[in-house]
Amino acid sequence: MARSDGYLLDNRQNEAGERFDAFTALFDPTTFRHLEGLGIGPGWRCWEVGAGGPSVASWLAEKVGPAGHVVATDIDTSRLTAAARPPVEIRVHDVGAEEPPGEGFDLVHARLVLVHVPDRERALRNMVESLRPGGRLLIEDADPALQPLTCPDEYGPEQRLANRLRRGFRELLADRGADLSYGRKLPRLLREAGLHDAEADAYFPVASPACTALETATVRQIRARLVAAGLATDAEIDQHLANVETGTMDLTTAPMISAWGRKG
């Protein structure tokens, strides 16, 4: 996550833990499938970029074992304490503004990070440079412009309100420098960075309890900013949260595009 006065989703807000729990439920199975496909095993040295919560770092630690090493970094490491034991090392670090926290990594992974980083080019260069020859890079990031709706089946006023609030969320993200079409660029960017065998796929949950939990936590977290920017009223946000609480709305997230490649 980027160090920026305008970062929209602060790790220290109460709702951040709920969002991380939802991300774990939604995206960990996809992330772990890709990491397994890259061959992770005992003794690997890994860098988990913008770790946020502990789930991926802890999973990596189990895979690399006591002979391996996992460096988990973020600008705010307050939610990483559960993973802070060998072979995991926790560091405060800004991937877009500082040198890598090491070199010769077998694997570097970042999930839902670079879309928010102001200097994405430097961040990607840092990750590639930190790999050993033959090392693997896996970047997973959202593409809200590819699928911009929270309710693709917009059949009633509840869904129209949800989609209007999602448009407001995208405006707030764009105003803070987020690249809302970043995910689709990843295969090309990995090739241009010199990586070999670049591939990508996408995961797009259409409806699940985790989508509902993520929507509630996100709207609560950005509520004040939506109102201050004139993008929604308190009454509209209250109505939307009540609509979501019924459990009858099919809520989605933006597609998460996973791209991976190998350093020559």
Side-chain angles (χ1 to χ4, degrees):
M1 299 173 185
R3 178 177 287 121
S4 168
D5 292 340
Y7 185 59
L8 191 60
L9 299 164
D10 190 332
N11 283 9
R12 293 184 181 271
Q13 289 178 269
N14 292 334
E15 295 83 4
E18 299 168 26
R19 296 185 77 251
F20 285 134
D21 289 344
F23 286 145
T24 294
L26 285 169
F27 299 125
D28 275 9
T30 296
T31 294
F32 298 162
R33 173 172 60 85
H34 286 117
L35 293 171
E36 291 272 18
L38 295 178
I40 186 170
W44 277 39
R45 299 184 68 250
C46 306
W47 176 18
E48 176 65 14
V49 181
S55 67
V56 176
S58 296
W59 185 90
L60 289 170
E62 291 183 6
K63 293 296 179 179
V64 304
H69 188 57
V70 177
V71 181
T73 64
D74 205 318
I75 63 167
D76 180 351
T77 61
S78 59
R79 297 188 180 274
L80 284 170
T81 53
R85 57 182 178 273
V88 178
E89 176 188 358
I90 308 297
R91 289 198 197 180
V92 176
H93 181 266
D94 187 336
V95 66
E98 301 177 63
E99 294 300 309
E103 59 184 14
F105 289 108
D106 300 289
L107 170 72
V108 177
H109 171 245
R111 185 174 76 188
L112 304 176
V113 174
L114 295 191
V115 68
H116 301 289
V117 174
D119 195 346
R120 284 176 281 274
E121 183 176 348
R122 178 177 177 179
L124 179 59
R125 184 170 63 249
N126 282 343
M127 289 189 280
V128 172
E129 289 178 353
S130 74
L131 289 167
R132 67 165 177 81
R136 309 287 179 150
L137 175 64
L138 171 63
I139 300 180
E140 303 180 295
D141 233 316
D143 196 313
L146 189 63
Q147 195 297 108
L149 304 176
T150 193
C151 293
D153 183 16
E154 191 181 79
Y155 64 88
E158 296 88 353
Q159 290 72 28
R160 288 191 288 273
L161 175 59
N163 287 338
R164 184 156 65 80
L165 294 183
R166 179 62 61 88
R167 286 195 295 272
F169 181 34
R170 295 201 316 274
E171 286 188 35
L172 293 176
L173 287 171
D175 286 347
R176 284 154 181 77
D179 183 347
L180 302 183
S181 59
Y182 189 69
R184 74 191 71 179
K185 302 173 184 176
L186 288 173
R188 170 175 59 83
L189 294 175
L190 296 192
R191 288 195 303 272
E192 291 176 351
L195 296 187
H196 300 278
D197 305 323
E199 298 182 49
D201 64 16
Y203 172 62
F204 174 35
V206 175
S208 78
C211 287
T212 300
L214 179 61
E215 176 70 9
T216 298
T218 301
V219 170
R220 285 169 46 208
Q221 192 166 9
I222 65 171
R223 175 182 192 130
R225 293 185 184 271
L226 286 170
V227 173
L231 297 168
T233 66
D234 277 313
E236 288 170 333
I237 293 172
D238 286 340
Q239 183 61 61
H240 174 60
L241 291 173
N243 294 340
V244 172
E245 192 175 355
T246 67
T248 61
M249 299 182 70
D250 295 324
L251 303 169
T252 70
T253 71
M256 183 180 75
I257 296 178
S258 302
W260 58 94
R262 175 181 54 82
K263 187 172 183 179

